[in-house]
Amino acid sequence: MQIPSRTELERLFDTDLAADVQFVETVASWPSLRILEYLYANGPAATGDIARGLNMDMRDVKDRLQALEEHGVVEDDGDWAPTTDEVTITLRRDQGLEITCVTDQSPESVDERSAGVFARVRRAVRSVFA
């Protein structure tokens, strides 16, 4: 399944929110979750090993890994590996969407590039549920 392009999402959302929606769509989709689960369970791996291990098409795995890399969730240092220990997405009726990302740096730190994404998504969703 293909991830909607930023241009497609900008027809429905403003530019900042389109970027945030694309992040959530990329990370929280079933193929991405399968890939991340594989990497967490097996450690760094080549694209072919991931595809074989998940019985997925190699091109689909490669495209998904590149999308995850663009959002800073995985990196390719010869083998693909996660850059974060945890990505949590929670939807609460009274508080809206809350997204946090705990990186390898420390339990308290949030990836700087992602921090803006999370704050914008929280603000946008809270305004919808307000």
Side-chain angles (χ1 to χ4, degrees):
M1 176 175 241
Q2 196 162 2
I3 299 166
S5 71
R6 181 102 20 113
T7 305
E8 290 174 293
L9 292 171
E10 285 176 356
R11 284 188 236 138
L12 302 170
F13 307 101
D14 67 44
T15 302
D16 288 340
L17 188 55
D20 298 341
V21 169
Q22 189 180 47
F23 173 84
V24 172
E25 173 67 24
T26 300
V27 175
S29 66
W30 180 241
S32 294
L33 293 174
R34 290 183 67 205
I35 289 168
L36 289 170
E37 180 181 42
Y38 181 90
L39 291 173
Y40 286 135
N42 299 292
T47 305
D49 294 333
I50 298 167
R52 280 187 295 282
L54 296 174
N55 196 28
M56 291 175 67
D57 181 75
M58 185 127 113
R59 183 71 216 166
D60 291 341
V61 170
K62 182 177 169 102
D63 291 345
R64 185 60 59 157
L65 285 165
Q66 288 172 339
L68 288 166
E69 183 179 39
E70 288 173 19
H71 290 286
V73 178
V74 298
E75 63 186 357
D76 183 10
D77 288 331
D79 282 333
W80 291 99
T83 60
T84 181
D85 287 333
E86 179 179 326
V87 176
T88 305
I89 301 171
T90 306
L91 181 60
R92 293 192 179 105
R93 182 178 179 170
D94 60 338
Q95 296 176 358
L97 186 64
E98 177 184 323
I99 302 173
T100 57
C101 178
V102 181
T103 65
D104 293 334
Q105 297 168 3
S106 77
E108 296 85 29
S109 70
V110 173
D111 180 42
E112 288 180 25
R113 179 174 45 181
S114 299
V117 169
F118 303 142
R120 287 194 309 268
V121 169
R122 274 194 299 270
R123 281 194 308 271
V125 172
R126 284 184 180 144
S127 69
V128 169
F129 287 101

